[in-house]
Amino acid sequence: PSAGAKGTSLLLVERGMPGFEKGKRLKKLGMKAQDTSELFFDNVKVPAGNLLGGEGKGFICLMEQLPWERLQIAIGAVAAAQAAIDWTVEYTKDRKVFGQAVAAFQNTRYKLAELQTEVQVARVFVDKCCELVNVDKLDTATASMAKYWCSDLQCKVMDECVQLFGGYGYMWEYPITRAYADARVQRIYGGTNEIMKEVISRAMGLGGR
């Protein structure tokens, strides 16, 4: 984004432009296949043709995309949570403790039943949000509800599933472990879940400062 007399504008900065440099790759907790690095800008000259969305319309363009961005996070959260449950169901069927499968214990069965129910409820809400976005009726507050609720649920599911995996759930070679690490950022990017609650409360007429 670039701020000027007419407001904020969006500019496409491309690799190789003089004054634009990338820093070293940052080491993250999860999402290790997705490179992240610092970006440095020093008097970068961007061609007028690299203006996105019109001059002075950068903030509007970003705000218009927020509901869809947050819905994408919710969709990914539900999909990842379901994958975690599926992995855990298969693992607990095979893993033996005290002479029987982990899945044979009532605690395991009930815990997985609870998680599956919660993920199914979240999926219904996300499906409804997808219907709304397809007809351009998904508002920011509803998208914020989906983002915060589903990402919170994703982290809960991952934690419970890691517990059912036992010690193996702490080993990087298992997908549940990598999914556990990847999940944590879901509650941060796209707007932290605390910000999501602020957006929702303001839409309810509960204004803050």
Side-chain angles (χ1 to χ4, degrees):
S2 174
K6 294 184 179 180
T8 301
S9 300
L10 292 178
L11 300 171
L12 178 62
V13 180
E14 302 178 79
R15 179 187 300 174
M17 286 183 170
F20 172 51
E21 299 289 341
K22 290 191 298 183
K24 65 179 181 180
R25 191 173 72 175
L26 302 175
K27 295 181 179 180
K28 305 191 298 290
L29 169 66
M31 295 188 138
K32 297 184 182 296
Q34 180 191 78
D35 289 350
T36 303
S37 65
E38 292 180 297
L39 304 178
F40 301 96
F41 305 89
D42 183 14
N43 294 318
V44 182
K45 293 184 178 180
V46 181
N50 284 34
L51 177 67
L52 302 177
E55 188 175 356
K57 296 182 179 179
F59 183 76
I60 295 173
C61 290
L62 291 175
M63 291 301 102
E64 287 176 343
Q65 296 304 315
L66 278 178
W68 173 227
E69 177 193 18
R70 288 166 181 169
L71 178 55
Q72 289 182 73
I73 295 173
I75 292 170
V78 170
Q82 185 61 61
I85 291 172
D86 293 343
W87 296 328
T88 308
V89 167
E90 290 305 311
Y91 176 81
T92 55
K93 285 180 178 179
D94 294 335
R95 177 67 173 169
K96 299 291 192 300
V97 176
F98 296 120
Q100 61 180 332
V102 173
F105 291 93
Q106 185 184 75
N107 178 71
T108 302
R109 301 196 311 273
Y110 283 15
K111 179 57 67 177
L112 287 170
E114 291 170 5
L115 296 177
Q116 184 62 77
T117 301
E118 292 183 66
V119 170
Q120 187 63 29
V121 170
R123 179 179 292 179
V124 173
F125 182 36
V126 167
D127 285 347
K128 177 61 178 179
C129 289
C130 288
E131 292 176 7
L132 291 173
V133 82
N134 284 334
V135 293
D136 295 323
K137 291 185 178 180
L138 180 65
D139 60 81
T140 301
T142 303
S144 297
M145 293 176 192
K147 190 271 181 185
Y148 117 71
W149 180 263
C150 293
S151 60
D152 269 7
L153 177 60
Q154 177 186 4
C155 288
K156 173 186 175 181
V157 170
M158 293 301 170
D159 187 70
E160 297 283 10
C161 288
V162 165
Q163 188 70 23
L164 289 172
F165 265 79
Y168 287 115
Y170 203 65
M171 299 297 111
W172 199 251
E173 64 190 273
Y174 282 82
I176 189 64
T177 313
R178 300 192 294 274
Y180 176 83
D182 290 344
R184 189 58 185 84
V185 74
Q186 290 271 87
R187 293 159 60 190
I188 299 173
Y189 61 17
T192 66
N193 284 3
E194 289 74 23
I195 294 296
M196 297 302 98
K197 295 173 186 178
E198 183 67 24
V199 170
I200 296 163
S201 66
R202 290 188 180 189
M204 296 169 65
L206 304 170
R209 289 185 177 181

